[in-house]
Amino acid sequence: MLLLTSFLVDILLPEDDNSISFYDKFLAQYTSITVSAIVSQSHFYSETYNTKLEDLDRDVDNIINEIPDASKRKREMYKVLCFGAMMNPGDIVQEKEKRTFVSDLFIQDAKKYNISNREMIIKSLNTSTFLNYFFLLEDSLKYISSNGYLKGSEVISKALKSILETEKILDEFNAEIYERSKFFINFDSLEKTWSLLNFIRNRIIHYNGYYDKHAKDIFEKKFNDILNLYLDIDTMNTSIFLLINNFEKYTNQINEFDYLIWSGNIISDIEIK
């Protein structure tokens, strides 16, 4: 599962106008995140190497299992280099402590979620890329907004809206975003979707992605807030079906594991370019 819908990674070219140089800066960061995500994740798909999935899983497992021995060898080499340079390496405090290797905890987590180590890596890459996109959009809207201090949850409802109202293009924006996404029917739908994504972001940053009973209820409420916007719009039935189908697995994951496993791929069916 790739984070991006790979046939929708083209972008609008910047115009030959120095007044939009900010867009150039945005594109530089956006393309860096996007290409890096695709290339890094491609290493964990059998199609990339025309090999069997079980062989790729085995190779990933071998790399992870090698982490403790590689670490120990480097630690021993440090001592050798110190003695070779006529230096006393002193005591390595960590060797006297009760410690475990990160690879052991990583493998435990993968088993807890009933996924392979390879899929666990993709999960981590998805989460990282999701946060990179989120912060890029959040920082960009804060930068070009005339508002003062804003919380992440306010960058759509306050920062973006104030920009659109100041430029008197709110209606034009609503029409354009629907034309491009086929999902966001108005500004309210965008605001409520951002509210859910911001909540997911907060669970990752502040709680390591953990969902207790209260957080699960909030997740469900924010998702239902989105659905309620489309109850009487027959032309949106297909889009809503896709959204429900996509989110059902995330709801199940939260209820079963208390975590979102594929948190970086939340709305892969919704693309705006």
Side-chain angles (χ1 to χ4, degrees), residues 20-31:
I20 59 169
S21 59
F22 176 78
Y23 183 55
D24 294 331
K25 180 181 177 182
F26 175 89
L27 287 184
Q29 297 178 71
Y30 177 82
T31 54

Side-chain angles (χ1 to χ4, degrees), residues 40-41 44 60-61 63-64 106 110 115-127 262:
S40 60
Q41 292 190 33
F44 299 97
V60 171
D61 291 346
I63 293 173
I64 294 175
F106 188 89
I115 59 178
S116 68
N117 290 326
R118 178 185 58 83
E119 291 172 311
M120 185 69 176
I121 292 174
I122 297 174
K123 175 260 185 189
S124 300
L125 291 173
N126 276 340
T127 301
W262 301 112

